Amino acid sequence: MAAEQARKKKVRINRGRPVDLKALEEIRALLGDEPRRRDLLIEHLHKIQDAYGHISARHLRALAHEMNLSQAEVYEVATFYHHFDVVKEGETPPPPLTIRVCESLACQMNGAHELIDALKQGLGDQVRVLPAPCVGRCQHAPVAIVGQNPIDRATPEKVGAVVEAKAVEAPVPDYIDYDAYRSQGGYELLLGLVEGHRDPETVIASLKDAGLRGLGGAGFPAGVKWDIVRKQPAPRYLAVNIDEGEPGTFKDRHYLESDPHRFLEGALVAARVVGCEAIYIYLRDEYPAARKILQTELARLQADPPVRGWLPPIHLRRGAGAYICGEESAMIESIEGKRGMPRLRPPYLAEVGLFGRPTLEHNMETLHWVRDIVEKGPDWFTSFGRHGRKGLRSFSVSGRVKKPGVHLAPAGITVKELIDEYCGGMLDGHEFYGYFPGGASGGILPASLGDIPLDFDTLNPYGCFIGSAAVVVFSQHDKAKDLALNAIKFFEDESCGQCTPCRVGTAKAALLMENGDWGRARLDDLCQVMADASICGLGQAAPNPIRCVFKYFPHELEG
């Protein structure tokens, strides 16, 4: 009878271990007046992690009780994400301070593994040193994160000094704040749109004429996407993807930490044109400074709206360390408080997206360009370009160049031109040997193919793609096969595990490559299965670096 009454009241009965009353009091104090909705589970897990440095079994059970969820549901979400330290019964909690050292492409080339070894030997038991996937600061490699404080071009001495000073918070860089942005004509586009001085159809036409495409990697035409979603039944949502986890990519962080309102205005214009009732911003957890900026500027925007009487709810959601959440449907699952598992499609997000409603999903940089394109006209945007291509691209350049960083350059520029004209050339003592044109998943090309225009579709005939324009340059002091192994180990670690081709394929390929077994027949078979049968782009693109080594760097496998 009691169970039947609980079912009628939609109250879940937890049949696991009993709830610790003290832990329940602590959870209630942490959550305060925050809603206990299912979609806020990850946000609430962050509160526990931030407060205690880990998530104990007793706090996990108390959170499940407080949110009326099963302990299994909460446990599976908490253990899915890298940045949650779930401590089981009887286990010892981690040390109070964690240092994460990036070991992805650019950081590996700049001595990340040596840095990890030195830190483990030089720091005491009160500090935990962990290798980490790309943290989005590739131009400053190697990078260590002390707590939440990034240490660029890290050395054991620099990291030790920060640990000694207990400087664990991320410093906020100078940026264009709300008042400064408004003084420069900011939000006038939005104001004109809301007041009827600008027509939504004209805005969409400008994006189409400019040829603006999704700049997170997929490259779907932005104006076409707006048209599709606005024709779907209300309510509709806008989801902004800033889970910039592709090794070699850091452009979104660059723009967020310098001019956040240009993106926010683009998001509000999109919401107005498409008719979205709310905006959800999904920001990767590795960007604490950007999170502070957005929290501050969203509060200012909401306290003094640029358009009186119209401002949709804007929700800032915090990722928890999962590269897979850069995939649009996995991001949607995470925003809903679940594991970041990609969905099977169709249906597509434009039809069934966030909370089951039609959703306009965009990369942050795509929205960053909306104001300039509409105000300056599509001809301004298309006036840039080289080698028959049109537009501008934000290239995240790292590796063996003198001036790594975000370089705004014409679409269609070649990597040789990019290195010479924007990056100050190769480092002294280094000769251009090869490059990743689109991050770890975009494949690897040799210097002999350094004259290919860098843009959407131009690299496809070579088995590569530009993706988010993350260009990693390497020299004769590096080996493509070592960098390909770095990439495939990254994909192995970041696979969500949902589908066998990706979960098993990446692990098997990494094991073979690490053992020096580059038997082509076996690796080709693994690559084909991953590319053909994986659910999402992670498994489908994981073979690209392997195939490129066989195709363009076979001499490295001889002997």
Side-chain angles (χ1 to χ4, degrees), residues 449-512:
L449 292 177
D451 293 316
I452 304 170
L454 297 176
D455 200 11
F456 292 112
D457 311 319
T458 59
L459 296 157
N460 295 3
Y462 304 91
C464 298
F465 57 79
I466 192 171
S468 56
V471 179
V472 184
V473 179
F474 57 96
S475 74
Q476 83 278 15
H477 297 297
D478 308 299
K479 290 187 179 294
K481 69 175 186 178
D482 294 339
L483 298 175
L485 173 59
N486 181 291
I488 199 68
K489 290 178 72 175
F490 169 81
F491 295 131
E492 177 192 7
D493 290 341
E494 296 298 328
S495 173
C496 73
Q498 180 178 191
C499 65
T500 303
C502 176
R503 181 184 68 251
V504 177
T506 53
K508 184 65 174 178
L511 180 63
L512 291 171

Side-chain angles (χ1 to χ4, degrees), residues 242-262:
I242 322 181
D243 194 67
E244 186 180 45
E246 180 70 29
T249 308
F250 45 92
K251 62 182 179 62
D252 291 353
R253 179 183 61 79
H254 168 79
Y255 287 124
L256 274 177
E257 293 182 354
S258 56
D259 193 5
H261 284 280
R262 193 168 300 269

Side-chain angles (χ1 to χ4, degrees), residues 159-395:
V159 174
V162 172
V163 171
E164 183 70 22
K166 298 181 179 179
V168 297
E169 295 297 323
V172 176
D174 293 333
Y175 64 93
I176 300 171
D177 66 10
Y178 184 58
D179 293 337
Y181 184 74
R182 290 292 301 273
S183 70
Q184 298 171 7
Y187 292 106
E188 290 299 317
L189 170 60
L190 178 65
L191 182 63
L193 188 63
V194 173
E195 294 183 345
H197 306 307
R198 286 188 182 272
D199 183 69
E201 284 72 21
T202 303
V203 173
I204 291 178
S206 294
L207 300 185
K208 290 180 177 179
D209 292 344
L212 180 66
R213 297 174 66 169
L215 297 173
F220 193 86
V224 174
K225 185 182 282 190
W226 290 25
D227 246 348
I228 292 172
V229 178
R230 74 193 298 246
K231 293 175 182 176
Q232 300 297 318
R236 296 175 286 272
Y237 297 114
L238 169 61
V240 184
N241 195 333
I242 322 181
D243 194 67
E244 186 180 45
E246 180 70 29
T249 308
F250 45 92
K251 62 182 179 62
D252 291 353
R253 179 183 61 79
H254 168 79
Y255 287 124
L256 274 177
E257 293 182 354
S258 56
D259 193 5
H261 284 280
R262 193 168 300 269
F263 142 67
L264 289 173
E265 182 171 11
L268 287 166
V269 167
R272 182 70 183 188
V273 169
V274 176
C276 298
E277 296 192 5
I279 300 172
Y280 287 80
I281 300 173
Y282 189 84
L283 178 67
R284 71 181 308 210
D285 196 32
E286 290 84 350
Y287 290 173
R291 185 168 68 250
K292 291 179 180 179
I293 290 171
L294 283 176
Q295 287 170 338
T296 299
E297 297 308 310
L298 284 173
R300 291 176 177 173
L301 184 67
Q302 290 159 347
D304 181 24
V307 182
R308 299 297 175 184
W310 187 84
L311 188 69
I314 303 176
H315 305 278
L316 179 60
R317 293 296 176 84
R318 180 178 170 185
Y323 167 74
I324 191 63
C325 291
E327 196 276 340
E328 60 178 10
S329 66
M331 177 195 68
I332 294 298
E333 290 287 297
S334 190
I335 291 174
E336 293 180 353
K338 306 171 188 174
R339 294 175 296 169
M341 296 283 199
R343 297 177 179 177
L344 292 172
R345 286 165 288 184
Y348 296 95
L349 298 190
E351 302 167 308
V352 182
L354 188 58
F355 307 122
R357 301 306 309 164
T359 301
L360 175 65
E361 185 274 343
H362 265 313
N363 168 255
M364 172 262 162
E365 195 205 347
T366 311
L367 297 168
H368 172 90
W369 289 111
V370 168
R371 177 188 168 190
D372 281 338
I373 288 174
V374 176
E375 289 185 344
K376 297 177 181 178
D379 290 343
W380 165 80
F381 193 73
T382 58
S383 67
F384 299 95
R386 291 189 187 178
H387 307 296
R389 313 301 295 184
K390 294 181 179 181
L392 288 166
R393 291 305 303 264
S394 302
F395 292 95

Side-chain angles (χ1 to χ4, degrees), residues 7-25:
R7 186 188 63 78
K8 290 180 178 179
K9 294 178 181 179
K10 296 183 178 180
V11 173
R12 190 182 302 273
I13 297 176
N14 279 312
R15 300 188 183 278
R17 293 176 181 268
V19 175
D20 182 293
L21 295 180
K22 186 174 185 298
L24 185 60
E25 289 178 6

